[in-house]
Amino acid sequence: MSSKSTRNSQQYCTFYLGDLLLGISVEDVQEVIKTQDMTPVPLAPGVVTGLVNLRGQIVTALDMRKRFQLNGGFPKPPMNIVISQEDGAVSLLVDEIGDVVSIDPESFEAPPETLEGACRELVTGVFKLEHSLLLVLDLAAATAVEEVAAA
Amino acid sequence: MSSGSDHESGEMPEEVVEFLVESNENLDRLDQDLMALESNPHDKERLSSIFRTIHTIKGTCGFLGYSKLESVTHVGENLLSKLRDGTFVLNATLTDALLAMVDATRAMLHSIESTQSDGDGDYTALVSLLSELTVNGGEGSAAEADGAANVDGESEPTSVLSQNGDERSVSSNALVFSTKKPDAPPVSASGPTELAAGVATVVDSSESGEVAEPTSVTVGTSSQQEGSSSGSSKTTAPENHEGTPVSADVRSVVSDSSIRVDVALLDRLMDLVGELVLARNQILQFTAAESSSALISTTQRLNLITSELQESVMKTRMQPIGNVLTKLPRVVRDLARSCSKLVRLDLEGKETELDRTIIESIKDPLTHLIRNGVDHAIETPELRKAAGKPLEGVIAISAYHEGGYVNIEIRDDGSGIDPEKIRAKAVEKGIHTPETAQKLSDRDVINLIFSAGFSTAEKITNVSGRGVGMDVVKTNIERIGGTIEVSSQVGIGTVFRIRIPLTLAIVPALVVTCVDQRYAIPQASLLELLRLEREQIDADVSVLDGAPVYRLRGHLLPLVDLAEVLGISDGERPWTKESLNIVVLQAEETQFGLVVDGVVDTQEIVVKPLGRQVKAVTTFSGATIMGDGKVALIVDVAGVAHLGRVLRTARDTESKATVTRQVEDLGEKQTLLLVQVGDSGRVAVPLQSIDRLEEFRADAVEWAGGQPVVQYRNTIMPLLWLSTAVGLTSASDPGETYQVVVHSANSRSVGVVVDAILDITEQRVTLDQYAARLGVLGSAVISDRVTEVVDLSVIIGDFLSDLVGIGV
Amino acid sequence: MAKALVIDDSSATRMILGKMLREIGFEVKSAVDGQDAIRCLEEGYLPEIMLVDWNMPVMDGYEFLKVVRNREAYNDVPLMMVTTETEMDRVLAALEAGANEYVMKPFSKEVIIDKLAMLGFGDEDEDEEYG
């Protein structure tokens, strides 16, 4: 239900941001939807792309490329991963959605030293997959952007 | 209240959840009943209701294995049975002990809610006190009984502690349901640690007791009926209308016709209805283009049904204000006892309904006002006697509907607010000098209590030492679109009047456009709409030192460009366009014009909160969904006003000094134009003496008869330099343009040249007349600086008399 | 399946007793007070046993007992008084007025099984018991 459960779950919804493969626990994901009509919020932090109407629920869309301080915009219309949080839903805008992968919690490792910058603060750990490294997103950190808001 | 309780209830066995909901409901009523009983100790109906409540809790908690709770309620039940059977008559000592028992019970219920255990609080002292009272009826042990309800929680539990330490012994003859360990290990002690050895601290535990209660509300199938609106329990619910015990028949009707509904479900229902309204709006749009009469009439029916459904669902969210008020008698009683006063609380209009979100947000301000009333307003019985008043002070709360608002009046017959004391306080706090303080009217002085940091509490009492002042009360009420006023008469009493909207969930709003987006502006702040064509813009809109103003019926209305405030402007000044849409708004005390691209229409919008990532953006208060399914932001009028710099309040700390001085009196507030004269001189010109503000290029100035003039509106207008007129030497370097204040009298206009226009300010002005001379009314402190206030008509009259004969 | 009627003003208690009785193998209905129970009976629910709380608003257990014992249709339905030790004086009065058995709150499933056995319930139901 909350991001705290990340460590214990087995199934991860994966997504791409540039070269990064990231994952969040499927339990945290409410749904995945295509790009929606968005209402921009003037004066909001840059990470906030806008507000989306999801069946009557107002969802705050957050640009994960900006959150990860990646260069460049989305290569194609981004996907929305809708996360239900206690104080309302947020949508993570990402490049592309990957598979749902099952992972043995045993293989969870701390973020490697080589991770740098924003990425390091937004990842709770990594899983070594066969061909790649899956970074586990720290949902609380990734969605905590209010402190940079305009006063 | 907390969303956390929903999570936990999922893991809790349903009978425990049921037990908590039921018990908390009953306890709230118990507080009321006990106090009512104190004033009428022979009320049989109430006695048996009280007995039954504790009896039920005790009976049920035994099944669930909460042995500590069982032992406390058991002795409470024993004591109550003596009262019911007439062995004892309720007195203050017994009431205190029973209330302490209720508090202990509440604390344990709280503990059960959060930890599923009745906690590790030690209630042996309370149990033995209650046992003792069961024997002697409170006649022989007043000392201990006083301790039991001592509000500051520092009583001496040792005197009764471990007299009967084995609490299990009292219920050893009960068969205990053995599926749970009788004494669950101490997990978290949030509740019971607040209690001093079984002695309830009344204030704390009554607050903790609120935790479980608001997660559900009771909905009557006919919510208008008075009975169901205050009958909050589906089981027993004897009504609390003083002196009118509800008959058994009525009660059973109430219990049959209402069910308990989770608030989250109601909120969801509300969302769904919002969606339905949306779909309906779309269908209406489509059918408008259709010609099938069958389809049109069906749509019209859908339209009606949807509106009615929306209204009904709104009503389910309405709760009687009594839900908040019923907690207050207990607050008053405990407080009055702790400060040795006699205070009665009269409640009127408990059935007045409000949206539950508003109910939540007036709880604290109301409680604060009541506490203040008991603590500061109502005098001690000795003082009241000396003043020839009844010994018992009265605080009366009445609530009633008026328009789309609810008025709440809190009236006390206490000492009143002494303006002299407030004046002294204002001087002491450096808000005023003794001189300016004396000049304030009593009414203004009394309203100083709402200023930030102005607390009249001279000593930190155990009651009001919570660090919240009246400014917080005011802020909280304004946050939900309400207002508060106070009036008071020394020796007679004080009245607070609160006015709040019925609901925040659906509000009428004006939809406007700005840079391709729609924004909703709550109509509560809307004064009027203006559309100016080019001609009017030229005539009536001026830019004063970069700040645009519009001359509206003799007043200068500051303009705020919405696009600019929101940082989405393309750089083009709207007043250079062919037309201008101005939404005239009221923000706190100030009016201003918000310039928008277009006005769409007015509609009822469903207000939804913003996520925390955007909550810090002060220009928006929420969002809503438009007919086409897109999201529109709701403009926070005060936020926009602040950002547009047309509003300064006490909350802007940097301008605090200005604001407090603004309270300075001389009757009406004045709007003043602050202008620069000479290199650094500054004078203020009352706005009502100004007809227009103009800017002329220096090369437009011509000379006629040795007098500088400009062509203006097909006439020749003479110019005079204000710096010279007020006796300052020379003007500063004129530059390329002249800023001119136009004054017209007797169908002739004179242009008064100033060196710069600095600001427009609205304030009460206290003139110091030592500097008065021809054309200068005096000086006053404006925006922290001593400023001369000029009288243009005198200056111009003087000027014109010199011009006679020149032929201009 | 034998039918039971639980009459108690506390919904938590109704839930607990209902659960217990269902585990023992009863079909259970409940009512919030005596009047509600009479309505329930009149609507055609004829229980084999009634568990009646004594202290209830509107119509308490004692009044309810008197009503049902005066009605031919229900006067032989076994009635078990559910009470607490503070009401011991009432137990005698209740038994005199026609209650068949009493049980004191709180009680375990074993206790209620024993009490029911005294009224002739039990043997064949016991197999259905679990937990």
Side-chain angles (χ1 to χ4, degrees):
Chain A
M1 238 177 239
S2 75
S3 56
K4 275 177 252 162
S5 59
T6 306
R7 273 170 172 268
N8 303 325
S9 36
Q10 311 270 322
Q11 289 207 305
Y12 284 82
C13 169
T14 66
F15 60 93
Y16 295 92
L17 276 179
D19 299 330
L20 301 173
L21 175 64
L22 289 125
I24 44 179
S25 165
V26 291
E27 287 173 28
D28 290 324
V29 178
Q30 181 184 319
E31 63 191 292
V32 174
I33 52 175
K34 287 194 183 139
T35 301
Q36 302 284 306
D37 259 344
M38 230 169 259
T39 301
V41 184
L43 306 178
V47 173
V48 175
T49 306
L51 304 179
V52 179
N53 167 20
L54 183 62
R55 295 185 303 278
Q57 188 184 20
I58 290 182
V59 180
T60 312
L62 305 176
D63 183 332
M64 283 298 110
R65 282 193 83 94
K66 285 191 181 154
R67 189 77 184 99
F68 275 78
Q69 293 168 6
L70 301 183
N71 293 324
F74 291 102
K76 54 178 186 166
M79 293 297 287
N80 291 258
I81 304 177
V82 182
I83 311 285
S84 180
Q85 293 190 320
E86 269 177 40
D87 51 353
V90 294
S91 161
L92 309 181
L93 299 185
V94 303
D95 287 2
E96 207 171 333
I97 303 293
D99 297 326
V100 171
V101 294
S102 290
I103 293 166
D104 177 7
E106 299 284 298
S107 65
F108 187 85
E109 290 174 25
E113 295 298 322
T114 52
L115 272 184
E116 281 175 355
C119 194
R120 193 168 172 76
E121 288 156 25
L122 300 174
V123 164
T124 56
V126 299
F127 286 119
K128 286 204 178 82
L129 300 183
E130 219 169 303
H131 301 293
S132 53
L133 204 58
L134 176 68
L135 309 175
V136 179
L137 185 70
D138 182 342
L139 257 188
T143 58
V145 293
E146 66 267 47
E147 60 275 2
V148 280
Chain B
M1 184 182 297
S2 70
S3 54
S5 60
D6 288 342
H7 291 285
E8 280 149 22
S9 62
E11 302 149 21
M12 219 180 255
E14 56 174 353
E15 60 270 20
V16 176
V17 175
E18 193 63 36
F19 169 64
L20 287 173
V21 173
E22 175 179 281
S23 302
N24 278 313
E25 255 174 25
N26 287 340
L27 281 183
D28 282 346
R29 209 181 53 238
L30 204 58
D31 269 349
Q32 305 294 304
D33 280 347
L34 275 173
M35 282 180 282
L37 195 63
E38 197 176 21
S39 45
N40 182 10
H42 299 284
D43 184 341
K44 277 252 182 255
E45 176 88 1
R46 225 180 266 276
L47 252 172
S48 45
S49 155
I50 294 170
F51 176 82
R52 192 159 52 235
T53 299
I54 289 301
H55 174 81
T56 300
I57 293 177
K58 182 218 148 190
T60 314
C61 73
F63 282 114
L64 299 171
Y66 301 121
S67 58
K68 196 174 290 182
L69 179 56
E70 191 189 358
S71 68
V72 170
T73 47
H74 175 81
V75 285
E77 185 190 10
N78 279 344
L79 179 52
L80 282 166
S81 72
K82 297 275 176 147
L83 288 167
R84 185 190 58 176
D85 300 342
T87 314
F88 305 133
V89 173
L90 192 71
N91 55 34
T93 308
L94 292 178
T95 309
D96 282 342
L98 288 169
L99 285 172
M101 176 204 63
V102 172
D103 289 335
T105 304
R106 205 173 258 138
M108 282 186 272
L109 290 172
H110 183 208
S111 169
I112 290 169
E113 194 192 3
S114 49
T115 68
Q116 295 214 37
S117 133
D118 49 6
D120 55 2
D122 182 358
Y123 300 103
T124 46
L126 179 63
V127 167
S128 48
L129 169 65
L130 288 166
S131 310
E132 189 182 322
L133 292 173
T134 308
V135 176
N136 65 24
E139 298 304 324
S141 62
E144 287 94 327
D146 277 351
N150 201 331
V151 177
D152 59 19
E154 286 172 5
S155 55
E156 306 282 328
T158 42
S159 59
V160 285
L161 192 72
S162 71
Q163 189 178 323
N164 184 4
D166 179 15
E167 60 182 73
R168 293 297 309 144
S169 66
V170 290
S171 59
S172 56
N173 57 346
L175 294 157
V176 177
F177 196 31
S178 57
T179 52
K180 274 210 177 120
K181 278 186 71 181
D183 281 302
V187 188
S188 145
S190 61
T193 45
E194 293 165 359
L195 309 170
V199 177
T201 57
V202 169
V203 174
D204 285 349
S205 55
S206 65
E207 277 162 10
S208 66
E210 290 168 14
V211 171
E213 167 263 322
T215 52
S216 67
V217 295
T218 300
V219 181
T221 48
S222 51
S223 63
Q224 260 77 352
Q225 281 172 16
E226 198 217 6
S228 63
S229 64
S230 52
S232 60
S233 160
K234 70 169 171 177
T235 50
T236 54
E239 300 295 314
N240 284 324
H241 301 297
E242 254 66 39
T244 50
V246 177
S247 78
D249 289 345
V250 174
R251 257 186 281 150
S252 74
V253 168
V254 170
S255 74
D256 280 350
S257 64
S258 62
I259 54 161
R260 213 181 270 129
V261 178
D262 197 315
V263 163
L265 182 62
L266 287 184
D267 287 348
R268 177 78 192 123
L269 206 54
M270 191 69 201
D271 281 346
L272 287 173
V273 168
E275 283 288 285
L276 183 64
V277 168
L278 204 74
R280 186 241 357 228
N281 292 351
Q282 282 167 324
I283 288 181
L284 285 177
Q285 274 174 19
F286 293 140
T287 48
E290 287 287 329
S291 53
S292 154
S293 64
L295 180 58
I296 289 172
S297 72
T298 311
T299 311
Q300 276 164 354
R301 258 193 70 202
L302 174 69
N303 188 12
L304 281 177
I305 294 170
T306 309
S307 300
E308 260 180 54
L309 180 64
Q310 185 179 1
E311 205 171 299
S312 304
V313 172
M314 280 296 300
K315 276 184 189 144
T316 64
R317 291 162 51 97
M318 301 295 257
Q319 284 183 296
I321 194 170
N323 288 10
V324 194
L325 302 184
T326 48
K327 305 225 186 250
L328 296 177
R330 174 71 191 273
V331 172
V332 170
R333 179 192 183 275
D334 289 344
L335 221 54
R337 256 177 92 74
S338 81
C339 41
S340 308
K341 292 177 181 176
L342 295 169
V343 187
R344 187 177 86 226
L345 183 68
D346 286 347
L347 301 177
E348 196 187 306
K350 280 191 282 194
E351 69 287 350
T352 309
E353 290 191 323
L354 275 171
D355 192 272
R356 64 172 200 88
T357 50
I358 295 194
I359 296 247
E360 280 295 307
S361 44
I362 58 163
K363 194 187 276 174
D364 286 347
L366 267 184
T367 310
H368 188 77
L369 287 174
I370 297 298
R371 297 170 82 95
N372 251 341
V374 178
D375 200 21
H376 301 301
I378 303 287
E379 314 89 329
T380 58
E382 298 76 48
L383 280 174
R384 290 184 67 90
K385 192 174 178 189
K389 290 179 171 183
L391 294 188
E392 185 180 57
V394 178
I395 298 180
I397 305 182
S398 59
Y400 55 95
H401 283 152
E402 194 182 65
Y405 287 83
V406 168
N407 294 313
I408 305 169
E409 212 176 81
I410 299 117
R411 182 185 291 273
D412 69 60
D413 69 345
S415 54
I417 302 172
D418 184 351
E420 287 315 315
K421 277 193 186 161
I422 306 279
R423 279 199 181 89
K425 191 89 178 174
V427 172
E428 181 197 318
K429 297 237 167 192
I431 298 172
H432 280 281
T433 64
E435 292 76 36
T436 56
Q438 274 318 311
K439 285 181 178 161
L440 294 183
S441 72
D442 285 356
R443 213 179 133 227
D444 290 336
V445 167
I446 289 173
N447 276 288
L448 278 177
I449 63 169
F450 293 121
S451 310
F454 197 99
S455 169
T456 53
E458 282 165 25
K459 51 187 193 298
I460 303 288
T461 60
N462 57 353
V463 176
S464 54
R466 298 168 81 204
V468 253
M470 289 299 225
D471 58 319
V472 178
V473 170
K474 187 174 168 131
T475 309
N476 284 343
I477 286 168
E478 284 176 351
R479 188 172 296 146
I480 53 169
T483 57
I484 179 166
E485 283 173 18
V486 58
S487 54
S488 184
Q489 269 183 286
V490 177
I492 293 175
T494 304
V495 187
F496 289 93
R497 286 188 189 85
I498 300 174
R499 190 172 146 88
I500 42 179
L502 274 180
T503 177
L504 296 177
I506 294 187
V507 297
L510 177 76
V511 180
V512 300
T513 55
C514 179
V515 194
D516 301 330
Q517 290 292 333
R518 281 167 298 181
Y519 296 91
I521 302 174
Q523 281 200 14
S525 321
L526 179 66
L527 297 174
E528 63 182 305
L529 291 175
L530 304 167
R531 184 183 165 86
L532 307 184
E533 299 304 329
R534 189 65 249 171
E535 226 169 81
Q536 287 167 282
I537 300 176
D538 287 341
D540 292 327
V541 175
S542 322
V543 179
L544 308 180
D545 211 41
V549 292
Y550 169 64
R551 224 181 105 91
L552 174 64
R553 293 186 289 273
H555 286 278
L556 283 186
L557 182 76
L559 297 181
V560 175
D561 178 11
L562 182 58
E564 194 192 339
V565 164
L566 297 181
I568 51 175
S569 166
D570 56 5
E572 191 188 0
R573 292 308 194 205
W575 33 93
T576 63
K577 293 178 185 168
E578 276 313 298
S579 63
L580 201 56
N581 285 300
I582 300 174
V583 182
V584 184
L585 298 169
Q586 177 90 36
E588 294 168 30
E589 311 284 288
T590 309
Q591 295 181 4
F592 70 101
L594 189 65
V595 177
V596 300
D597 290 350
V599 173
V600 183
D601 64 353
T602 60
Q603 54 180 260
E604 301 261 297
I605 57 165
V606 179
V607 178
K608 309 213 172 206
L610 291 171
R612 68 186 150 91
Q613 291 83 3
V614 284
K615 253 202 177 116
V617 184
T618 55
T619 47
F620 306 117
S621 59
T624 189
I625 295 168
M626 296 276 102
D628 62 1
K630 284 188 77 173
V631 177
L633 288 156
I634 301 169
V635 171
D636 183 317
V637 172
V640 165
H642 275 278
L643 217 54
R645 307 188 153 277
V646 291
L647 189 67
R648 296 186 190 89
T649 72
R651 269 164 274 165
D652 293 5
T653 42
E654 74 273 15
S655 63
K656 199 180 252 175
T658 324
V659 173
T660 45
R661 290 211 178 83
Q662 278 184 9
V663 188
E664 285 168 358
D665 183 29
L666 260 192
E668 288 293 290
K669 273 189 184 172
Q670 289 202 36
T671 308
L672 298 167
L673 183 72
L674 283 177
V675 300
Q676 188 189 323
V677 289
D679 286 326
S680 57
R682 207 172 76 146
V683 302
V685 185
L687 212 58
Q688 73 253 28
S689 62
I690 300 175
D691 290 279
R692 216 168 291 282
L693 294 160
E694 297 292 349
E695 196 177 67
F696 295 104
R697 294 181 56 82
D699 54 20
V701 177
E702 300 166 57
W703 291 78
Q707 170 64 41
V709 295
V710 287
Q711 296 184 29
Y712 180 65
R713 297 190 166 194
N714 302 324
T715 64
I716 294 172
M717 178 170 74
L719 297 180
L720 80 86
W721 268 253
L722 189 57
S723 50
T724 326
V726 297
L728 285 161
T729 46
S730 72
S732 59
D733 181 21
E736 291 195 352
T737 57
Y738 289 122
Q739 300 291 335
V740 175
V741 173
V742 180
H743 173 92
S744 303
N746 305 325
S747 73
R748 94 167 287 179
S749 298
V750 174
V752 180
V753 181
V754 300
D755 291 274
I757 286 165
L758 301 172
D759 198 2
I760 287 183
T761 162
E762 189 184 37
Q763 60 190 69
R764 296 195 168 91
V765 177
T766 307
L767 289 172
D768 213 331
Q769 295 186 342
Y770 77 91
R773 57 186 187 278
L774 182 66
V776 176
L777 295 165
S779 62
V781 176
I782 297 169
S783 303
D784 287 341
R785 280 181 56 181
V786 176
T787 307
E788 287 187 326
V789 181
V790 300
D791 185 342
L792 270 195
S793 60
V794 172
I795 290 177
I796 286 169
D798 188 46
F799 169 76
L800 286 177
S801 67
D802 287 351
L803 273 189
V804 175
I806 296 178
V808 182
Chain C
M1 204 187 281
K3 290 179 185 166
L5 180 60
V6 172
I7 310 164
D8 199 307
D9 59 321
S10 154
S11 59
T13 304
R14 289 197 301 274
M15 220 175 239
I16 293 165
L17 293 190
K19 225 177 194 178
M20 232 183 240
L21 289 167
R22 282 186 194 100
E23 282 177 16
I24 298 171
F26 280 92
E27 175 190 342
V28 184
K29 268 209 174 189
S30 53
V32 301
D33 56 50
Q35 244 174 40
D36 193 28
I38 288 170
R39 208 162 20 237
C40 192
L41 295 172
E42 283 170 350
E43 279 166 14
Y45 185 79
L46 245 192
E48 274 97 342
I49 176 76
M50 299 186 284
L51 275 80
V52 187
D53 181 31
W54 228 236
N55 202 322
M56 292 182 292
V58 186
M59 183 191 277
D60 68 18
Y62 190 73
E63 288 172 63
F64 172 72
L65 174 67
K66 285 191 293 186
V67 172
V68 290
R69 285 295 175 256
N70 282 323
R71 290 209 194 171
E72 210 176 317
Y74 325 115
N75 67 7
D76 57 350
V77 179
L79 186 149
M80 190 183 300
M81 174 186 184
V82 179
T83 181
T84 63
E85 73 278 8
T86 41
E87 299 176 311
M88 267 319 282
D89 50 333
R90 284 153 211 244
V91 170
L92 269 180
L95 292 175
E96 264 169 34
N100 304 71
E101 188 51 81
Y102 72 94
V103 60
M104 283 203 214
K105 282 196 257 191
F107 48 81
S108 66
K109 199 160 72 182
E110 289 69 37
V111 169
I112 195 77
I113 289 171
D114 283 351
K115 291 279 185 182
L116 287 168
M118 289 184 204
L119 295 174
F121 292 91
D123 299 339
E124 75 272 30
D125 289 326
E126 230 160 308
D127 299 335
E128 295 177 42
E129 190 195 329
Y130 59 91

